[in-house]
């Protein structure tokens, strides 16, 4: 249980921080999309017998860059790009799997991690990853903020907007590809979005909203883990349900009178 | 003789086989108030994007502060107020304060912490633009006129020597426009900031600008507004008579 | 600011009430009674075998709940605690219960005896082009099941040596039943008109090779696999060629696949239970390993048109 708490807190810190930048760019489905892309990587990894986790990360990074490039051309709407990659990669993964002669059981292990079965090395990986992502966001915070607000304005300030936009989605790709195997794609995807939209209800500034969303996601993880323990429920799902309840509460609190 | 801070020589720009800008040559002196007019699709915004380094010219040369634009990096000396103010994402969770600060600190090196000097400048530009009282409001909750002042404050926060405004009065009510024009005049006169102003509002150009540049792919006119803006030029540019042009300019109010 | 503070106060109070309520309603973690040990198992057959051998000296906690496929299960924090208070943790391995493999990894260095059952077997490879998977379904062969019983017995003795006599007796008694089952199946399935069966997923390869049956699985080694259209065509063709009239599906997985093929090829469906878990109804009806295996044999006899009914 201590490991579940450590991994949960690491995810609770990193997910809404990166999620904030995704939500304001209309990329809320990014986590699910990248998870499905990672599945292609896992399938390739299993067929070619090369480290599946490594290939999953590479696939997610390539897809993230592709999503940004396609958005830059303005040929396709942002959310349609995500749908394109989501269903496309699922299709490619299932074709690879059937071409290779069937599901190897271990394929599923990469998709459905669970916070209750986090091992010692998983804790190490997820804490290290969270530190890298959080420090990167902290260092480039002002640039990420302006690039997310208005890319063209950022470029007129002499900022390499394309580079920072891409760096953001690459960070998201690494976060998703690494943590879905450990805590499950449901948890990482939900914590990237739900605490952020909950915090946005309070109409605060950008920094305040991020801090608020981190507080909300930490609360969801801690309360969710305790509740799932006592009720004997699946932990990932319970955490997400707690986050949802907090969202509903925030709606009640911010009802326009 | 005042210093020439922008020099444009034989500038050409082609996009998808079309000649958007043809053989433009002009210069801007420090302290000038240059109005840029021309029909929609005549290349005004393209010219601004080239000056801001957002687009590369097909041929020709642009010299900015005595340095070729190809190597110029000090974009803090340019302030830019974009055209899209009125359709800024109204759900974006950022305060006025954060937006204005981004104009000063976004391009700083990693680990940069805000200094007292940064705070002083931001306070001052917010006072000048009369948005001090809005500093903790969300950008999405402001009126068009307020939002416009936030973007000006943002552009001014880096202490620019040139301020480039691309039709910033679209979607702003008449009273706010008037205040805005007198505010720009103050900036130009007292602080000596050079202004490049893209607009359809001919009357405003005639009243406010010290120089006018008419652009319809070619340089149609260039010079003192009272002399340069004759009926022949306007006919050339808009292929219509003055009356129509005036109507057109009113649509944007 | 006031709004945010009050939001968090309300949220904290509600959370606190929720956790208190949950704590008051929670089922207790299995208590260690004096003179007993707790054995945790990943899925049904292991639990059944451990219970038979351990008798009164062992409390068996089966982690995968009734009606759930062990492969898909996600353990709750309570499950992890149950495993942690146990003395022995038995799991199948070879990709059958991936969550258990992860838990097992985590138990290294504790004094809990962790047993990967399939490690003790020379598993068949299910070779499909490119990838090869190991087949973990050893418990469906009563002869291999006897070996499992011995493995579990030895594990119990090593942890609880003072009751070795009881464990030996119980294991021997159960293995006699398994040996009888083996003889019964062998007899029941001789003199049948057919020798081919079609199943929804490849769970019966040990069973089939023991009793001279040819197993054709619609999908592969895992129940989740989606077969290609070509595969469905091949299966239908095979049914025609071999005069097969019945397609078998499982109790825990969706029967959709088997029903689709059955409809297309004009076949009937029947149940062949791979015992990856019992449903609540089966438990209520008092089913266990031996009775389910017997049911399987009856269904097979029907499908294969056997004489010795």
């Amino acid at each position: 249980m201590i490991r579940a708490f450590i991994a949960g807190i690491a995810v609770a810190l990193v997910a809404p921080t990166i999620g904030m930048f995704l939500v304001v760019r209309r990329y809320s489905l990014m986590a699910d999309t990248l998870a499905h892309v990672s599945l292609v990587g896992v399938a390739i990894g299993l067929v070619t017998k090369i480290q599946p986790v490594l290939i999953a990360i590479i696939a997610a990074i390539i897809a993230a860059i592709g999503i940004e490039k396609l958005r830059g051309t303005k040929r396709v709407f942002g959310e349609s790009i995500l749908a394109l990659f989501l269903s496309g990669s699922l299709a490619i993964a299932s074709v690879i799997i059937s071409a290779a002669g069937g599901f190897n059981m271990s394929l599923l292990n990469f998709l459905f991690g669970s916070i209750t079965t986090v091992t010692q090395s998983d804790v190490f990986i997820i804490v290290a990853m969270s530190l890298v992502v959080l420090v990167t966001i902290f260092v480039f915070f002002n640039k990420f903020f302006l690039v997310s607000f208005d890319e063209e304005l950022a470029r007129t300030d002499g900022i390499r907007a394309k580079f920072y936009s891409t760096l953001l989605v690459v960070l998201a790709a690494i976060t998703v590809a690494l943590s879905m195997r450990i805590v499950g794609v449901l948890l990482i995807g939900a914590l990237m979005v739900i605490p952020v939209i909950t915090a946005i209800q309070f109409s605060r500034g950008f920094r305040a909203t991020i801090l608020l969303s981190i507080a909300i996601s930490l609360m969801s993880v801690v309360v969710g883990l305790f509740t799932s323990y006592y009720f004997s429920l699946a932990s990932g799902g319970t955490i997400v349900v707690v986050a949802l309840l907090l969202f509903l509460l925030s709606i009640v609190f911010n009802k326009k009178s | 003789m005042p210093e020439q801070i922008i020099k444009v020589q034989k500038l050409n720009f082609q996009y998808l086989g079309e000649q958007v800008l043809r053989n433009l040559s002009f210069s801007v002196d420090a302290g000038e108030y240059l109005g840029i007019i021309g029909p929609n699709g005549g290349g005004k915004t393209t010219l601004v994007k080239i000056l801001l380094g957002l687009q590369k010219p097909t041929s020709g040369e642009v010299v900015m502060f005595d340095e070729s634009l190809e190597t110029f990096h000090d974009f803090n000396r340019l302030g830019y107020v974009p055209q899209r103010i009125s359709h800024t994402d109204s759900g974006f969770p950022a305060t006025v304060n954060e937006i204005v600060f981004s104009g000063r600190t976004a391009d700083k090196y990693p680990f940069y912490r805000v200094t007292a000097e940064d705070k002083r400048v931001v306070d001052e530009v917010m006072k000048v633009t009369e948005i001090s009282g809005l500093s903790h409001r969300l950008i999405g909750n402001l009126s068009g006129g307020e939002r416009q002042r936030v973007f000006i404050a943002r552009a001014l926060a880096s202490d620019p020597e040139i301020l480039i405004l691309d039709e910033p009065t679209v979607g702003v009510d008449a009273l706010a426009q008037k205040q805005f024009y007198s505010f720009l005049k103050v900036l130009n006169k007292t602080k000596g900031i050079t202004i490049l102003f893209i607009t359809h509002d001919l009357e405003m150009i005639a009243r406010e600008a010290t120089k006018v540049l008419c652009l319809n792919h070619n340089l149609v006119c260039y010079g003192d507004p009272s002399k340069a803006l004759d009926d022949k030029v306007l006919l050339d540019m808009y292929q219509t008579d003055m009356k129509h042009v005036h109507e057109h300019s009113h649509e944007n109010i | 600011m006031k709004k945010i503070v009050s939001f968090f106060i309300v949220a904290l109070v509600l959370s606190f009430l929720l956790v208190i309520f949950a704590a008051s309603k929670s089922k207790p973690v299995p208590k260690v009674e004096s003179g007993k040990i707790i054995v945790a198992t990943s899925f049904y057959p292991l639990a059944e075998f451990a219970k038979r051998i351990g008798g009164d000296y062992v409390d068996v906690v089966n982690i995968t709940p009734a009606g759930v496929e062990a492969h898909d299960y996600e353990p709750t924090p309570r499950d992890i605690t149950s495993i942690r208070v146990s003395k022995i943790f038995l799991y199948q391995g070879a990709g059958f219960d991936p969550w258990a493999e992860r838990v097992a990894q985590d138990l290294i260095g504790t004094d809990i005896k962790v047993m990967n059952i399939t490690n003790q077997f020379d598993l068949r490879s299910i070779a499909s082009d490119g990838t090869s998977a190991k087949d973990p379904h050893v418990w469906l062969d009563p002869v291999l099941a006897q070996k499992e019983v011995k493995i579990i017995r030895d594990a119990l003795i090593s942890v609880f040596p003072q009751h070795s006599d009881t464990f030996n007796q119980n294991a021997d008694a159960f293995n006699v039943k398994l040996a009888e089952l083996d003889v019964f199946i062998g007899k029941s399935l001789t003199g049948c008109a057919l020798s081919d069966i079609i199943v929804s997923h490849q769970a019966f390869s040990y069973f089939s090779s023991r009793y001279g049956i040819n197993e054709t699985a619609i999908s592969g080694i895992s129940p989740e696999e989606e077969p290609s259209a070509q595969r469905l065509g091949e299966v239908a063709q095979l049914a025609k060629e071999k005069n097969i009239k019945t397609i078998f599906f499982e109790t825990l997985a969706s029967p959709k696949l088997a029903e689709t093929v059955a409809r297309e090829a004009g076949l009937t469906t029947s149940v062949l239970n791979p015992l990856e878990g019992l449903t609540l109804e089966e438990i209520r009806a008092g089913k266990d390993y031996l009775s389910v295996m017997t049911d399987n044999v009856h269904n097979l006899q029907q499908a294969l048109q056997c004489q010795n009914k």
Side-chain angles (χ1 to χ4, degrees):
Chain A
M1 274 303 272
I2 289 167
R3 276 181 212 148
F5 269 101
I6 297 172
I9 286 167
V11 171
L13 290 174
V14 79
T17 308
I18 190 115
M20 177 72 174
F21 292 97
L22 299 178
V23 168
V24 298
R25 317 181 123 216
R26 305 291 184 268
Y27 271 169
S28 292
L29 285 176
M30 186 62 112
D32 289 278
T33 306
L34 292 173
H36 285 89
V37 172
S38 308
L39 186 60
V40 175
V42 172
I44 294 172
L46 288 175
V47 171
T48 57
K49 300 206 163 40
I50 304 167
Q51 265 295 312
V53 177
L54 191 69
I55 302 208
I57 294 173
I58 292 169
I61 289 175
I62 291 171
I65 294 170
I67 289 167
E68 266 301 305
K69 280 256 185 296
L70 200 56
R71 196 174 77 124
T73 66
K74 299 200 169 81
R75 280 161 188 267
V76 192
F77 294 118
E79 82 275 16
S80 312
I81 299 173
L82 296 188
L84 181 78
F85 273 79
L86 198 151
S87 39
S89 54
L90 201 55
I92 292 169
S94 77
V95 166
I96 291 174
I97 288 160
S98 62
F103 240 120
N104 188 312
M105 284 216 180
S106 46
L107 182 71
L108 293 161
N109 302 1
F110 291 93
L111 259 189
F112 303 112
S114 157
I115 195 163
T116 42
T117 55
V118 168
T119 63
Q120 189 64 53
S121 60
D122 288 341
V123 168
F124 181 73
I125 290 170
I126 206 149
V127 168
M129 174 208 81
S130 302
L131 278 178
V132 168
V133 172
L134 288 173
V135 167
T136 311
I137 290 179
F138 181 74
V139 168
F140 298 117
F141 187 86
N142 289 330
K143 293 182 172 65
F144 286 148
F145 166 70
L146 187 55
V147 164
S148 302
F149 178 62
D150 190 319
E151 223 163 278
E152 193 177 273
L153 216 48
R155 287 172 66 200
T156 63
D157 277 6
I159 292 172
R160 286 149 65 208
K162 285 253 152 55
F163 171 78
Y164 289 104
S165 285
T166 309
L167 181 57
L168 258 182
V169 289
V170 166
L171 289 178
I174 294 171
T175 307
V176 170
L178 269 180
S179 41
M180 69 171 197
R181 187 181 59 86
I182 298 173
V183 299
V185 66
L186 168 73
L187 188 64
I188 186 77
L191 287 185
M192 274 186 172
V193 176
I194 300 174
V196 173
I197 57 174
T198 308
I200 286 176
Q201 302 308 312
F202 291 92
S203 305
R204 295 281 146 174
F206 201 82
R207 286 171 181 79
T209 303
I210 289 185
L211 293 177
L212 207 52
S213 64
I214 289 174
I216 290 164
S217 89
L218 277 173
M219 196 165 170
S220 309
V221 166
V222 173
V223 174
L225 277 177
F226 272 119
T227 312
S228 76
Y229 177 80
Y230 288 123
F231 274 140
S232 197
L233 301 168
S235 300
T238 312
I239 292 169
V240 177
V241 169
V242 172
L244 264 178
L245 292 175
L246 289 176
F247 172 71
L248 290 178
L249 191 65
S250 77
I251 295 272
V252 173
F253 261 80
N254 293 283
K255 212 163 58 184
K256 299 239 161 53
S257 44
Chain B
M1 192 64 191
E3 188 198 355
Q4 287 188 345
I5 51 178
I6 303 176
K7 274 177 277 187
V8 175
Q9 284 286 325
K10 296 190 173 150
L11 179 70
N12 281 283
F13 183 77
Q14 283 179 341
Y15 183 70
L16 298 174
E18 227 170 287
Q19 190 81 24
V20 182
L21 297 175
R22 189 178 301 125
N23 212 19
L24 296 190
S25 296
F26 65 93
S27 61
V28 181
D29 293 344
E32 230 168 24
Y33 193 143
L34 177 69
I36 301 175
I37 60 167
N40 287 331
K44 300 184 305 275
T45 297
T46 304
L47 176 61
V48 165
K49 283 190 172 169
I50 288 173
L51 293 180
L52 289 167
L54 298 181
Q55 236 146 17
K56 292 238 176 303
T58 312
S59 69
E61 201 190 11
V62 178
V63 176
M64 191 73 74
F65 299 109
D66 291 325
E67 190 179 348
S68 169
L69 199 58
E70 282 166 42
T71 54
F72 182 78
H73 282 301
D74 198 4
F75 284 99
N76 270 337
R77 300 174 79 176
L78 300 174
Y80 170 59
V81 180
Q83 193 175 20
R84 313 171 303 285
I85 295 170
S86 53
H87 21 97
T88 302
D89 181 352
S90 62
F92 196 89
T95 59
V96 167
N97 202 39
E98 285 174 316
I99 301 283
V100 177
F101 258 106
S102 79
R104 188 166 180 89
T105 57
D107 60 336
K108 293 286 198 286
Y109 49 85
F111 289 114
Y112 179 83
R113 304 316 296 161
V114 172
T115 63
E117 169 70 2
D118 291 333
K119 283 191 181 135
R120 193 192 59 75
V121 172
V122 167
D123 271 356
E124 194 193 305
V125 297
M126 286 175 74
K127 218 171 274 164
V128 173
T129 49
E130 296 174 359
I131 55 169
S132 301
L134 305 176
S135 75
H136 292 292
R137 295 269 299 277
L138 288 195
I139 183 81
N141 296 343
L142 303 180
S143 72
E146 288 168 334
R147 215 178 278 181
Q148 179 192 53
R149 278 183 275 150
V150 171
F151 275 83
I152 307 261
R154 200 198 101 75
L156 292 175
S158 62
D159 275 332
E161 291 155 64
I162 304 174
L163 190 59
I164 301 177
L165 306 101
D166 189 355
E167 297 191 55
T169 49
V170 174
V172 177
D173 65 68
L175 183 69
Q177 270 195 42
K178 224 172 140 191
Q179 288 176 339
F180 179 59
Y181 290 145
S182 58
F183 167 68
L184 283 184
K185 199 161 211 165
V186 171
L187 282 183
N188 180 242
K189 285 261 154 42
T190 62
K191 300 196 125 192
I193 295 175
T194 308
I195 291 176
L196 272 64
F197 197 109
I198 293 183
T199 183
H200 282 293
D201 189 344
L202 291 176
E203 281 175 58
M204 173 266 165
I205 294 288
R207 203 173 55 235
E208 311 279 339
T210 57
K211 217 180 213 176
V212 66
L213 189 157
C214 319
L215 192 62
N216 188 9
H217 305 299
N218 300 297
L219 200 61
V220 180
C221 78
Y222 177 55
D224 191 305
S226 57
K227 291 172 199 152
L229 284 176
D230 57 28
D231 286 357
K232 190 191 163 300
V233 165
L234 295 173
L235 196 66
D236 263 9
M237 242 181 353
Y238 292 97
Q239 275 134 33
T240 182
D241 53 70
M242 270 298 272
K243 195 170 149 275
H244 191 99
V245 175
H246 277 286
E247 276 168 12
H248 185 77
S249 69
H250 284 293
E251 279 168 21
N252 288 322
I253 291 175
Chain C
M1 201 60 203
K2 242 171 87 183
K3 198 190 275 175
I4 294 175
V5 172
S6 49
F7 167 79
F8 275 105
I9 291 173
V10 171
L12 276 172
V13 169
L14 290 179
S15 312
F16 190 68
L17 290 177
L18 176 70
V19 172
I20 295 280
F21 178 67
S24 73
K25 289 275 169 189
S26 75
K27 286 170 284 174
V29 173
K31 275 224 184 64
V32 188
E33 289 177 47
S34 63
K36 279 195 173 191
I37 58 166
I38 293 174
V39 175
T41 61
S42 73
F43 81 123
Y44 172 70
L46 296 179
E48 162 88 5
F49 297 169
K51 249 178 240 168
R52 296 269 187 175
I53 302 160
D56 294 338
Y57 298 113
V58 167
D59 273 333
V60 176
V61 179
N62 187 27
I63 300 300
T64 305
V68 177
E69 183 94 43
H71 189 259
D72 302 331
Y73 187 60
E74 184 192 329
T76 68
R78 177 144 308 245
D79 293 333
I80 304 297
T81 315
S82 300
I83 295 169
R84 290 231 166 226
V85 300
S86 69
K87 282 274 183 285
I88 303 176
F89 177 49
L90 304 169
Y91 71 103
Q92 194 67 15
F96 177 76
D97 36 17
W99 57 270
E101 289 177 42
R102 293 169 62 78
V103 173
Q105 229 179 8
D106 216 31
L107 295 176
I108 296 167
T110 64
D111 58 359
I112 300 167
K113 188 173 177 69
V114 177
M115 294 285 299
N116 177 338
I117 299 292
T118 49
N119 264 356
Q120 319 281 325
F121 285 85
D122 191 14
L123 296 183
R124 287 163 162 265
S125 286
I126 304 216
S128 40
D129 350 303
T131 56
S132 76
K134 296 285 184 192
D135 185 350
H137 302 91
V138 286
W139 66 90
L140 288 169
D141 174 351
V143 177
L144 294 178
Q146 291 174 50
K147 186 176 169 189
E148 281 198 53
V149 167
K150 284 178 192 150
I151 294 165
I152 297 169
R153 177 200 63 195
D154 293 345
L156 285 175
I157 289 173
S158 72
V159 174
F160 222 9
Q162 55 269 53
H163 297 296
S164 59
D165 289 348
T166 315
F167 296 153
N168 273 321
Q169 278 167 21
N170 289 347
D172 290 346
F174 189 54
N175 272 349
V176 168
K177 286 188 178 163
L178 289 176
E180 284 168 8
L181 178 68
D182 174 41
V183 173
F184 166 72
I185 299 173
K187 234 190 257 164
S188 304
L189 298 183
T190 46
C192 303
L194 302 174
S195 63
D196 287 87
I197 58 169
I198 298 174
V199 295
S200 53
H201 97 271
Q202 196 168 357
F204 292 90
S205 67
Y206 295 101
F207 181 92
S208 306
S209 68
R210 168 96 35 215
Y211 302 110
I213 296 170
N214 302 317
E215 176 201 34
T216 302
I218 302 173
S219 60
I221 192 75
S222 160
E224 283 87 357
E225 193 179 332
E226 188 194 352
S228 64
Q230 189 192 357
R231 180 80 192 135
L232 292 179
E234 282 170 12
V235 171
Q237 184 63 32
L238 180 91
K240 203 177 279 173
E241 277 170 20
K242 305 269 182 180
N243 199 25
I244 298 171
K245 294 275 183 282
T246 312
I247 280 192
F248 288 106
F249 66 90
E250 302 164 12
T251 43
L252 289 182
S254 157
K256 214 176 71 195
L257 209 60
E259 280 168 359
T260 307
V261 180
R263 203 171 43 239
E264 304 235 324
L267 308 173
T268 57
T269 57
S270 177
V271 173
L272 203 55
N273 189 338
L275 274 161
E276 294 183 2
L278 294 180
T279 64
L280 277 176
E281 291 78 43
E282 287 167 336
I283 293 169
R284 268 191 222 114
K287 299 274 181 196
D288 62 10
Y289 177 87
L290 293 170
S291 67
V292 170
M293 287 300 276
T294 312
D295 293 345
N296 280 346
V297 171
H298 288 311
N299 289 344
L300 278 171
Q301 282 186 309
Q302 292 244 297
L304 298 177
Q305 299 161 25
C306 304
Q307 311 300 317
N308 307 333
K309 280 190 186 166

